[in-house]
Amino acid sequence: MSASAQVSTSSALMPTYARADLAFECGEGCYLFTADGRRYLDFASGIAVNGLGHSHPHLVATLKEQAGKLWHCSNLYRIPGQERLARRLADASFADKVFFSNSGAEAIECGLKLARKYQDDFGDKKRFRVICTEGAFHGRTLATIAAGGQEKHLKGFDPIVDGFDRVAYGNLNELRAAITPETGAILVEPVQGEGGMRAASDDYLKGLRTIADEFGLVLFFDEVQCGMGRTGKLFAHEWAGVKPDIVATAKALGGGFPVGACLANDKVAAAFGPGNHGSTFGGNPLAMAVGNAVLDVMLEEGFFARVERMSDLLRSRLAALARRHPKLFGELRGRGLMIGIKCEVPNTEVMNRLRDRNVLVVTAGDNVLRLLPPLVVTEAEIAEAMDALDAVAAGWT
Ligand SMILES: *Cc1c(COP(=O)(O)O)cnc(C)c1O
């Protein structure tokens, strides 16, 4: 075993993760390899990060080229790669302006600050509260755990950041009833990830826009997980034909290089001026080079249509599996290649047994098994994952 692959049991890492005793040395496409040569089919994609799989040649070449030129440059100067990526994201979406961060939580933080500043400048100073939903996940900073509202994430971290109210996901009446003179924004995941892979209906997303307009609220979508092609469109809300005011995205934006983005329309973005927000590393030349390379691939003709085809194939196979094994599996959830399958047995046990068969998946809330294959997954790889699922199901006792 090479030194870099050694995982010490007396770890100096803070024990914030219950890690599997498994380390990877390299990856290619939809596969990961351990130092001793074991191969795993990756249907987790680093939790929806490796959208283009591992070691995508265009991404590798782009990062290598940029590494030889310039790694870091302060945002006190113009960063051409940033201007280009912002322009391309805006041209491909509802947005007019973009702020780059290093993570999803930071992209959400940027959006939360922007929503407050917008109300402060152009709306009503009192309107600092944000309506969020049950089962939400928005990150692990103090403000984003408050926005997510999950007891398991909040416990021990009092006082909870103020300004977040909670309603049932998918329920417009409850949301409307929760609006007060202090409400300034609505923050919703078009497809909930961690919370259980629930996809919002198009009518729900449209209803959110209508309500936001009626009450002068900022409509803010968290597309950190469901954005960047995961559902078969660049952003999941596009399926509903709705235009939000703010969108945060991250995970697959850098294909594995840490980068996030907060997108906004001109109306809301007008609230930010010099000094209102910042980040040392945000929009760093390395991240921007890779982000642009990701868009080169995703915006190619036929990329999203292919995601949809692979999604249809995988979903129909999973539905058939669930019909054959109703004691193990229930409903299918999610959208595109963001797939949840409700388990009737413990989801972690299914995940572990798949891992024993060299297939990686993740779990989600509500006892859901989460399948997030790279968007470049092939029919043969889907068949391989299904073989493993079939074997796990057949051998269940
Ligand atoms: C992962 C995730 C986040 C947080 O992103 P980090 O990069 O881990 O900070 C926020 N929202 C959603 C929906 C996510 O899936």
Side-chain angles (χ1 to χ4, degrees), residues 243-268:
K243 287 192 192 318
D245 300 301
I246 302 177
V247 163
T249 194
K251 289 190 165 90
L253 174 58
F257 198 96
V259 58
C262 178
L263 290 72
N265 59 25
D266 268 334
K267 181 181 101 173
V268 171

Side-chain angles (χ1 to χ4, degrees), residues 9 38 84 106 108 120 165 168 194 213 218 264 271 317 333 343 355 368:
T9 45
R38 277 174 296 147
R84 178 158 181 259
E106 284 173 89
I108 298 286
D120 194 80
D165 299 309
E194 312 297 315
D213 289 342
V218 173
R317 298 275 320 254
R333 296 183 183 180
C343 295
R355 196 172 60 228
V368 163

Side-chain angles (χ1 to χ4, degrees), residues 215-331:
F215 290 89
L217 309 179
V218 173
L219 182 58
F220 180 2
F221 287 147
D222 180 344
E223 297 229 15
V224 171
Q225 187 164 158
C226 63
M228 298 313 296
R230 184 46 62 185
T231 67
K233 291 205 184 280
L234 185 61
F235 293 112
H237 68 261
E238 292 169 24
W239 288 105
V242 161
K243 287 192 192 318
D245 300 301
I246 302 177
V247 163
T249 194
K251 289 190 165 90
L253 174 58
F257 198 96
V259 58
C262 178
L263 290 72
N265 59 25
D266 268 334
K267 181 181 101 173
V268 171
F272 266 181
N276 287 143
H277 197 49
S279 167
T280 296
F281 294 124
N284 162 298
L286 294 168
M288 295 300 100
V290 182
N292 273 302
V294 166
L295 280 194
D296 290 343
V297 178
M298 281 194 189
L299 297 181
E300 243 170 51
E301 183 72 34
F303 183 89
F304 294 133
R306 205 185 152 280
V307 170
E308 251 192 286
R309 270 206 318 283
M310 292 303 120
S311 163
D312 290 345
L313 173 65
L314 182 50
R315 278 170 188 279
S316 66
R317 298 275 320 254
L318 287 167
L321 173 83
R323 279 196 300 274
R324 284 197 303 278
H325 300 281
K327 289 203 174 72
L328 302 181
F329 301 115
E331 64 168 345

Side-chain angles (χ1 to χ4, degrees), residues 140-165:
R140 296 301 204 103
T141 64
L142 286 169
T144 55
I145 57 174
Q150 303 284 339
E151 179 57 33
K152 63 177 191 263
H153 295 154
L154 288 164
K155 197 172 177 309
F157 299 109
D158 281 348
I160 297 171
V161 172
D162 188 23
F164 300 96
D165 299 309

Side-chain angles (χ1 to χ4, degrees), residues 167-199:
V167 296
Y169 187 71
N171 188 328
L172 291 170
N173 290 334
E174 206 178 297
L175 188 135
R176 188 181 277 273
I179 296 169
T180 73
E182 291 187 338
T183 305
I186 300 168
L187 171 58
V188 166
E189 292 157 86
V191 185
Q192 284 191 336
E194 312 297 315
M197 304 296 268
R198 288 186 196 85

Side-chain angles (χ1 to χ4, degrees), residues 21-40:
D21 186 15
L22 181 61
F24 299 105
E25 189 173 54
C26 58
E28 195 183 333
C30 294
Y31 293 98
L32 282 165
F33 299 87
T34 62
D36 57 3
R38 277 174 296 147
R39 188 179 86 153
Y40 285 75

